[in-house]
Amino acid sequence: MAGPPVSLSARDVGSFAYLTVKDRLPQILTKAIDTLHRHKSEFFEKHGEKGLEAEKKAISLLSKLRNELQTDKPIVPLVEKFVDTDLWNQYLEYQQSLLNESNGKPRWFLSPWLFVECYMYRRIHEAVIQSPPIDDFDIFKELKDQNFFESQESIIALCTHLQELMKTIEDLDENQLKNEFFKVLQISLWGNKCDLSLSGGKTISQKINLINSLEDLKPFILVNDMEHLWSLLSNCKKKREKASITRVDIVLDNSGFELVTDLVLADLLLSSKLATEIHFYGKTIPWFVSDTTIHDFNWIIEQLKHSNHKWVSKCGVDWENHIKMGRWVYLDHMFWTLPHEFSAMPQVAPDLYATLQKAHLILFKGDLNYRKLTGDRRWEFTIPFHEALNGFHPAPVCSIRTLKAEVQVGLQPGQGEQLTASVPNWLTIGKYGIFQFDGPL
Ligand code: F6P
Ligand code: MG
């Protein structure tokens, strides 16, 4: 059997990977530099002259990085000692070994897109940690928070919907519950439209009331395995003995509106008893502009708690309680911010793999997780998802993702070609979505 196909790369001139490395990544770096500039007086107030020097240093490191990228320089090892530095440098050596025959060096416009893009965010982090005393500054925090504030109307609608539902949840029959479960799943799917790296860091907030738009959006769901999720979890519920648990793990993506939609889903899973425990996984460093860190997670729950809107603040209070009682657990792991595809997890992060194996279901939110699930390769559209996972089967998994990169598997014969004919950029505009499941039922 032939091995997996080649990785997506900026080597393919005109591809989305190419456009990303050429245009989107430098834009993100420019924004990051601008953010540091704008916080100059804040750094000064906090740390005096040392703060100003640190700002200058971080800016010069980022400008150097942008220059390396734009002039397609070889990818250099990380220099600052951090928990994952060795793993990164080993990965770079591995990329180098793939090129040894051609005598080349890993470069921005030559190496796999997934690697160089992850590397850029890791280098941004390196620039910040090399610049004490501002070494805990999250360059993207302001954008993430802005997205949250601009989505207030939708957040109110969502929290109100959830709290109204709570009043009657015990009385719902099977079908009604399934219906509500499908609604929050779809809300969480379309919440993934809100990532900030696709917009080059411009905020795209969620202004429309999603709940009323779900029917209109249904035709844009290209793979819909929601029924599998329902059968799996409702069977767990039926068979569950008293005191035993059903654990759903959510590998989070973006903070802001999307995170709220994920928390709504997590709350419904608990209150409907489809699950008894939820594990969330976030990022340990600022990542792909809008990804959730523990600070974002805590900040959002705190914001909700102090909202003037009674249902919004009720959500905040309930969610804080879930955390206190251990029904919701937030976990960090450096693996999520490494460049490796998920099929490498058993070797690179065996502890994390073992943790995931204890879940009854793992939900992977967002586009980047999908790229890592499938190895970000040039798969044919009809290759089964199971095959593209390349041996990554810790537990039943489901990707909940809007499409923002040129990788999609598990489609019906002809489906991809038809889409290409009618909407040429369907893979990258974030307009289409999938619920793609793999696992025994
Ligand atoms: O730029 C790479 C990319 O994966 C895009 O495809 C997407 O815009 C973004 O990064 C991440 O999206 P998400 O937040 O859904 O993982
Ligand atoms: Mg993201």
Side-chain angles (χ1 to χ4, degrees):
M1 204 181 76
V6 296
S7 305
L8 301 181
S9 161
R11 205 172 20 186
D12 305 321
V13 176
S15 66
F16 190 65
Y18 170 79
L19 293 174
T20 298
V21 178
K22 185 168 104 24
D23 301 327
R24 293 167 61 219
L25 299 189
Q27 272 169 25
I28 286 169
L29 284 170
T30 303
K31 273 238 157 205
I33 292 170
D34 177 59
T35 303
L36 283 166
H37 264 307
R38 277 186 297 98
H39 283 76
K40 201 171 174 171
S41 45
E42 185 188 312
F43 298 143
F44 182 68
E45 274 159 37
K46 260 197 177 161
H47 312 285
E49 280 301 322
K50 287 216 157 66
L52 293 185
E53 278 161 32
E55 181 244 16
K56 258 198 216 138
K57 175 156 187 205
I59 288 179
S60 86
L61 290 168
L62 292 183
S63 309
K64 181 167 171 290
L65 174 61
R66 188 177 50 189
N67 181 269
E68 287 171 29
L69 187 163
Q70 287 180 316
T71 53
D72 197 20
K73 291 272 168 0
I75 307 281
V76 295
L78 297 176
V79 288
E80 187 72 18
K81 203 82 202 114
F82 197 65
V83 276
D84 60 351
T85 314
D86 292 343
L87 283 167
W88 270 97
N89 290 343
Q90 279 159 23
Y91 194 82
L92 174 57
E93 275 169 31
Y94 161 70
Q95 287 299 329
Q96 172 69 66
S97 72
L98 300 178
L99 296 170
N100 272 349
E101 276 171 30
S102 60
N103 246 341
K105 286 215 172 302
R107 282 186 287 111
W108 296 88
F109 284 82
L110 172 79
S111 295
W113 173 33
L114 181 61
F115 167 50
V116 299
E117 193 171 21
C118 290
Y119 173 81
M120 181 190 84
Y121 287 98
R122 184 58 182 78
R123 280 282 301 275
I124 294 178
H125 185 62
E126 184 170 78
V128 174
I129 59 177
Q130 282 186 307
S131 310
I134 62 162
D135 45 346
D136 62 349
F137 184 67
D138 178 349
I139 292 193
F140 304 123
K141 174 94 180 102
E142 173 177 88
L143 283 169
K144 291 185 268 195
D145 295 358
Q146 195 179 337
N147 169 277
F148 171 80
F149 290 126
E150 287 175 2
S151 310
Q152 280 311 298
E153 258 174 69
S154 299
I155 291 176
I156 291 174
L158 215 55
C159 293
T160 308
H161 177 82
L162 180 71
Q163 293 302 331
E164 292 290 340
L165 184 61
M166 292 300 180
K167 293 183 193 159
T168 56
I169 196 139
E170 305 270 328
D171 311 322
L172 299 185
D173 65 28
E174 283 269 302
N175 246 331
Q176 287 168 321
L177 180 59
K178 179 169 155 185
N179 213 353
E180 291 302 334
F181 174 54
F182 283 4
K183 266 194 212 162
V184 291
L185 275 173
Q186 290 169 81
I187 289 169
S188 164
L189 168 65
W190 299 122
N192 179 243
K193 278 190 181 193
C194 292
D195 111 86
L196 300 178
S197 66
L198 197 60
S199 58
K202 286 198 242 18
T203 61
I204 315 181
S205 49
Q206 197 60 56
K207 292 242 166 60
I208 52 160
N209 184 347
L210 259 183
I211 306 165
N212 298 333
S213 320
L214 296 180
E215 276 312 307
D216 298 341
L217 291 170
K218 267 208 180 123
F220 299 101
I221 303 179
L222 302 179
V223 179
N224 191 344
D225 290 338
M226 286 199 298
E227 287 285 347
H228 293 333
L229 300 182
W230 170 256
S231 347
L232 188 147
L233 293 177
S234 57
N235 279 337
C236 283
K237 182 175 169 182
K238 278 180 208 142
K239 290 190 206 139
R240 190 164 58 226
E241 312 267 320
K242 244 194 159 170
S244 66
I245 60 159
T246 303
R247 199 182 98 193
V248 173
D249 287 13
I250 306 182
V251 183
L252 294 171
D253 186 5
N254 304 304
S255 183
F257 182 72
E258 179 172 358
L259 178 59
V260 177
T261 67
D262 297 336
L263 299 180
V264 167
L265 168 63
D267 197 352
L268 181 90
L269 286 171
L270 284 191
S271 21
S272 61
K273 306 196 171 61
L274 287 168
T276 59
E277 203 175 302
I278 312 287
H279 281 190
F280 298 99
Y281 302 88
K283 308 293 195 292
T284 41
I285 61 173
W287 195 244
F288 279 66
V289 185
S290 39
D291 283 18
T292 306
T293 65
I294 184 66
H295 305 292
D296 303 320
F297 189 85
N298 291 336
W299 182 85
I300 283 204
I301 293 183
E302 205 51 34
Q303 290 294 317
L304 297 176
K305 225 177 82 185
H306 293 105
S307 160
N308 294 328
H309 192 281
K310 73 169 177 182
W311 295 134
V312 176
S313 72
K314 174 85 170 47
C315 283
V317 172
D318 288 355
W319 296 351
E320 190 182 55
N321 223 4
H322 289 330
I323 297 168
K324 278 193 188 135
M325 304 304 288
R327 293 186 289 260
W328 280 9
V329 181
Y330 180 99
L331 296 161
D332 271 334
H333 199 290
M334 69 166 167
F335 180 80
W336 304 118
T337 50
L338 289 175
H340 302 72
E341 51 196 272
F342 291 160
S343 62
M345 192 191 287
Q347 289 78 48
V348 181
D351 56 328
L352 178 61
Y353 194 77
T355 308
L356 293 180
Q357 281 178 310
K358 297 193 196 108
H360 292 82
L361 170 67
I362 313 169
L363 303 176
F364 285 91
K365 286 297 315 280
D367 192 71
L368 177 61
N369 277 328
Y370 192 75
R371 293 174 60 197
K372 289 188 164 187
L373 283 166
T374 57
D376 208 36
R377 292 166 186 282
R378 267 201 250 148
W379 294 105
E380 280 174 26
F381 296 137
T382 49
I383 285 288
F385 185 40
H386 187 83
E387 193 179 325
L389 287 170
N390 195 21
F392 180 72
H393 309 293
V397 303
C398 183
S399 158
I400 302 180
R401 162 236 190 186
T402 58
L403 282 59
K404 302 169 195 157
E406 285 164 329
V407 52
Q408 182 59 56
V409 300
L411 294 185
Q412 297 302 318
Q415 196 182 359
E417 290 71 14
Q418 256 176 27
L419 280 158
T420 308
S422 53
V423 188
N425 50 3
W426 62 282
L427 282 160
T428 55
I429 49 179
K431 184 173 169 186
Y432 292 89
I434 53 163
F435 293 99
Q436 196 158 41
F437 177 83
D438 177 67
L441 289 171

